[in-house]
């Protein structure tokens, strides 16, 4: 068992007095608020002792944070325990900061001084390793964003190509309506355009407005007449072509939106990683 002296050295009494004053000033908010200040301190200290004895470093950090939240000026040795806890939980950057705070005030005769030096070496290596990982992640994210943006442009060009052939589709793509409305608009526009073309071909046949050099074939209603061929083409291929264009439309929209979502998601991840990396490179 550590006890006050082992944890805080010869500053244990001063720290205890500071804790009692702090508790009397700051309204307690924990489940133990009804306990006297001295007992609250003993309880937190005992939790810290047990966490350190059992190598429960996440718990150690939680207990230290409870003490810090009381507005106390903690003794320097507490930075050592924070640093060790951060090292053991793999947080290199936070570990180096905590250990620098300890080593900046500690004497080379302090019990934990040599251990702190060794921990600082481990923390620095971990910090540099994690920094390199962040830089690699950022590089990958930038590449992923670039590729997704390139693919989205390709799908958008295909989307616009289809829409440019059917004006109604382009209009529908500019407003917020349901996918069902867009799909219906596509098929109806496709059908309407083809039917209009067929109607024009029928009108020309009825009026004898035949293409040059095809009069004989058109009078006989032969497929060698372009007008007749167009009418028959609609009957045999029209619905199939419209359905195919419908699938292309829906597929292109889906692929475009998929890539845009990737761009947005990866951009958010990139910004988060860049903010983390900035902590490794503080402004001079």
């Amino acid at each position: 068992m550590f006890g006050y002296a082992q944890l805080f050295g010869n500053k244990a009494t001063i720290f205890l007095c500071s804790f009692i004053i702090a508790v009397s000033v700051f309204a307690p908010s924990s489940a133990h608020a009804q306990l006297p200040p001295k007992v609250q301190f003993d309880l937190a200290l005992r939790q810290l002792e047990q966490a350190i004895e059992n190598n429960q470093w996440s718990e150690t950090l939680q207990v230290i944070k409870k003490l810090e939240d009381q507005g106390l000026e903690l003794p320097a040795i507490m930075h050592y325990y924070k640093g060790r806890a951060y090292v053991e939980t793999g947080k290199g950057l936070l570990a180096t900061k905590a250990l620098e705070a300890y080593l900046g005030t500690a004497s080379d005769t302090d019990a934990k001084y040599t251990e702190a030096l060794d921990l600082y070496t481990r923390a620095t290596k971990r910090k540099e390793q994690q920094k390199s990982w962040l830089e690699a992640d950022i590089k990958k994210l930038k590449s992923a964003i670039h590729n997704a943006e390139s693919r989205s442009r390709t799908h958008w060009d295909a989307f616009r190509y289809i829409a440019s052939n059917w004006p109604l589709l382009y209009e529908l793509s500019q407003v917020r309506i349901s996918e069902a409305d867009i799909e219906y608009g596509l098929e109806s526009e496709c059908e309407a355009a083809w039917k209009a073309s067929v109607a024009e071909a029928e009108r020309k046949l009825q009026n004898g407005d035949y293409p040059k050099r095809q009069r004989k074939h058109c009078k006989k209603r032969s497929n060698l007449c372009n007008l007749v061929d167009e009418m028959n083409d609609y009957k045999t291929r029209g619905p199939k072509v419209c359905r195919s264009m419908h699938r292309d439309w829906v597929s292109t929209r889906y692929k475009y939106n998929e890539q845009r979502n990737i761009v947005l998601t990866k951009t958010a991840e990139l910004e988060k990683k860049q903010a983390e990396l900035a902590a490794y490179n503080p402004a001079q």
Side-chain angles (χ1 to χ4, degrees):
M1 182 173 177
F2 289 105
Y4 298 169
Q6 287 83 348
L7 282 173
F8 306 117
N10 56 15
K11 294 185 179 180
T13 302
I14 298 174
F15 178 62
L16 174 57
C17 293
S18 299
F19 183 86
I20 294 173
I21 294 172
V23 171
S24 67
V25 174
F26 297 98
S29 57
S30 69
H32 308 290
Q34 68 275 22
L35 296 176
K38 171 66 166 60
V39 177
Q40 291 187 51
F41 171 78
D42 288 340
L43 181 61
L45 181 61
R46 180 57 183 152
Q47 291 174 341
L48 183 58
E49 289 178 33
Q50 291 177 328
I52 295 173
E53 286 176 349
N54 297 321
N55 295 325
Q56 296 174 330
W57 302 111
S58 294
E59 178 69 18
T60 297
L61 291 170
Q62 292 176 14
V63 177
I64 293 175
K65 186 177 185 304
K66 287 181 182 178
L67 296 173
E68 291 176 331
D69 288 345
Q70 294 297 329
L72 299 172
E73 182 178 352
L74 303 180
I77 190 64
M78 195 64 74
H79 295 299
Y80 164 81
Y81 288 116
K82 280 181 66 176
R84 184 177 178 187
Y86 281 133
V87 168
E88 301 297 344
T89 54
K91 298 178 176 65
L93 178 62
L94 294 174
T96 57
K97 290 182 178 180
L99 290 168
E100 285 168 359
Y102 170 72
L103 292 170
T105 58
S107 167
D108 58 5
T109 60
D110 288 350
K112 299 296 183 181
Y113 183 80
T114 301
E115 291 181 35
L117 292 176
D118 293 338
L119 282 173
Y120 188 74
T121 299
R122 286 177 58 191
T124 301
K125 290 180 179 179
R126 183 66 172 175
K127 170 188 170 183
E128 292 305 316
Q129 183 183 49
Q130 290 175 325
K131 180 182 177 182
S132 67
W133 290 345
L134 271 175
E135 291 171 337
D137 287 344
I138 288 174
K139 185 177 180 180
K140 290 179 181 178
L141 284 169
K142 287 182 176 179
S143 177
I145 291 171
H146 173 77
N147 292 336
E149 286 179 334
S150 178
R151 287 191 293 267
S152 71
R153 284 193 295 270
T154 298
H155 295 316
W156 177 250
D157 289 342
F159 175 82
R160 290 290 297 274
Y161 173 79
I162 297 173
S164 66
N165 286 279
W166 313 107
L168 175 60
L169 299 183
Y170 184 76
E171 293 177 8
L172 290 173
S173 70
Q174 306 305 303
V175 297
R176 291 179 177 271
I177 57 177
S178 69
E179 289 290 334
D181 290 336
I182 291 178
E183 293 171 11
Y184 173 77
L186 170 64
E187 290 193 290
S188 64
E189 180 72 4
C190 177
E191 293 281 347
W194 210 318
K195 286 180 180 179
S197 179
V198 169
E200 179 65 12
E202 290 178 342
R203 185 191 66 76
K204 289 182 178 181
L205 283 173
Q206 292 175 358
N207 296 338
D209 187 9
Y210 307 136
K212 292 181 179 180
R213 300 180 183 180
Q214 293 187 2
R215 294 180 62 83
K216 181 179 178 181
H217 298 302
C218 289
K219 284 182 178 180
K220 295 180 178 181
R221 298 300 190 264
S222 167
N223 283 338
L224 295 176
C225 172
N226 289 344
L227 299 176
V228 175
D229 183 61
E230 185 173 346
M231 293 171 59
N232 292 335
D233 190 39
Y234 169 74
K235 293 177 182 179
T236 56
R237 292 196 316 120
K240 182 178 179 180
V241 169
C242 286
R243 285 195 296 271
S244 176
M245 185 171 289
H246 170 271
R247 288 194 298 270
D248 290 345
W249 170 268
V250 174
S251 174
T252 301
R253 279 181 57 86
Y254 173 81
K255 291 176 181 178
Y256 169 77
N257 289 332
E258 182 181 48
Q259 294 304 315
R260 292 311 304 169
N261 287 335
I262 290 176
V263 170
L264 293 174
T265 301
K266 296 296 183 183
T267 298
E269 291 180 26
L270 176 61
E271 292 174 352
K272 182 179 178 181
K273 294 287 185 181
Q274 288 175 328
E276 292 178 17
L277 183 62
Y280 288 81
N281 303 300
Q284 300 297 325

